[in-house]
Amino acid sequence: MHVIDSHTAGEPTRVILDGFPDLGSGPLSERAALLATRFYDDYRAVVLEPRGQVAMVGALLVPPVDPTCVTGVIYFDVGAVLGMCGHGTIGLAVTLYHMGRIGTGLHRIETPAGVVTVDVQDESTVTVTNIESRRVAVGVTVEVPEFGPMTGDVAYGGNWFFLVDPSPIPVIPENIRQLTDLAVATRTALNAQKIGGENGEPVDHVIFYGPAGDAAAHSRNFVLCPDDAYDRSPCGTGCSARLACLAAAGQLGEGQEIVQESIIGSTYRLSYRAGHKGGVIPSITGQAYVMSVAELVFHPNDPFRNGIIL
Ligand code: PYC
């Protein structure tokens, strides 16, 4: 299996170029469901230790249904197959550029959540135009055992988010352990109390907001991903959900740009235009860098062939 690893604002992406079982030619949402069920061990083996690392997101290249797209892609981490991934799409675009498969300019990429566009500005800078994102609930309070009530908005940005602003715990790197525990407990409580999307979709990411370290940035976030790792980047789909919330609250106008800081201090530039269904079409600009071009080996005698699973 040949892979290329990159990081986007600190968050890793492993693009699988070949060597993965064929998922057929159905809609990407169906292929994603197949990946999540029939190929559960295969995809997790790519991102779990010892081959992967705790924050690793995989990006499986598949033929697109829409012939105007340069590729189809299905993202996943150890915890879930994702509908979309913003940092992964920036990493994928930089990887395709590195391989000479695309140049600068606009390209379409098909994901299970829909077609997104990348504008490759140079070898590392990419703007992703995401699928239409929307706020579905505002000021929802969930009782989190051992922590108390937590109030936030529910929004969709390609994945499902619960966004808490302001965070009850300061959003600083020293607090990553406590923020993780609180976010995991909050997601568990939301799912147990069936608070999620309009059609019962479970919340898979939780975001806490606090003041930015840099006065030029709008805020700093802490994002918990399905694998219980925190996003090192500001999280592209999370930023999309955030833009939907800010727009719905009348706190950010169409075309206005803000900077979102991550918990490690990396940044994305964000803006939106109005969507057709009452939501927003987010634009996320960030940088990614290729880190390695590798071949993964799955030795039949390797006791950890499928990764370390405790
Ligand atoms: O950037 O959308 C994102 C993302 C989702 C999970 C990790 N990163």
Side-chain angles (χ1 to χ4, degrees), residues 12 36 48 82 99 116 132 155 171 179 187 191 194 295 303:
L48 273 168
L82 304 168
M99 295 171 73
V116 302
E132 183 159 346
V171 181
L179 288 161
R187 189 187 56 204
N191 293 337
K194 305 261 181 281
E295 182 174 6

Side-chain angles (χ1 to χ4, degrees), residues 113-249:
V115 173
V116 302
T117 304
V118 291
D119 182 3
V120 179
Q121 279 137 49
D122 58 42
E123 62 174 357
S124 50
T125 309
V126 176
T127 298
V128 178
T129 302
N130 198 6
I131 46 98
E132 183 159 346
S133 302
R134 60 190 188 280
R135 183 178 76 173
V136 300
V138 59
V140 179
T141 299
V142 60
E143 189 57 38
V144 183
E146 291 176 35
F147 289 95
M150 208 63 55
T151 300
D153 295 351
V154 179
Y156 178 72
N159 297 300
W160 285 96
F161 291 84
F162 188 67
L163 305 95
V164 179
D165 185 5
S167 170
I169 297 174
V171 181
I172 53 174
E174 293 78 356
N175 290 343
I176 284 173
R177 185 69 261 157
Q178 294 101 295
L179 288 161
T180 301
D181 291 345
L182 177 59
V184 169
T186 302
R187 189 187 56 204
T188 303
L190 288 163
N191 293 337
Q193 293 168 44
K194 305 261 181 281
I195 298 170
E198 303 100 329
N199 300 310
E201 299 91 341
V203 165
D204 38 36
H205 295 68
V206 173
I207 312 186
F208 297 119
Y209 291 92
D214 182 342
H218 183 264
S219 60
R220 177 189 286 163
N221 69 16
F222 168 90
V223 184
L224 180 82
C225 297
D227 57 6
D228 291 352
Y230 69 90
D231 197 329
R232 278 66 173 159
S233 83
C235 188
T237 51
C239 287
S240 301
R242 171 69 154 175
L243 286 166
C245 292
L246 292 173

Side-chain angles (χ1 to χ4, degrees), residues 44-97:
R44 282 167 39 102
V46 174
V47 288
L48 273 168
E49 292 180 29
R51 278 182 209 84
Q53 57 121 310
V54 67
M56 185 68 89
V57 169
L60 174 62
L61 296 190
V62 295
V65 175
D66 179 339
T68 66
C69 292
V70 287
T71 187
V73 61
I74 304 173
Y75 298 108
F76 55 87
D77 68 15
V78 168
V81 172
L82 304 168
M84 216 316 257
C85 180
H87 94 268
T89 303
I90 295 171
L92 171 58
V94 163
T95 297
L96 295 176
Y97 182 90

Side-chain angles (χ1 to χ4, degrees), residues 9 219-221 231-234 260-267:
S219 60
R220 177 189 286 163
N221 69 16
D231 197 329
R232 278 66 173 159
S233 83
Q260 179 67 60
E261 224 176 61
S262 74
I263 186 75
I264 69 161
S266 58
T267 55

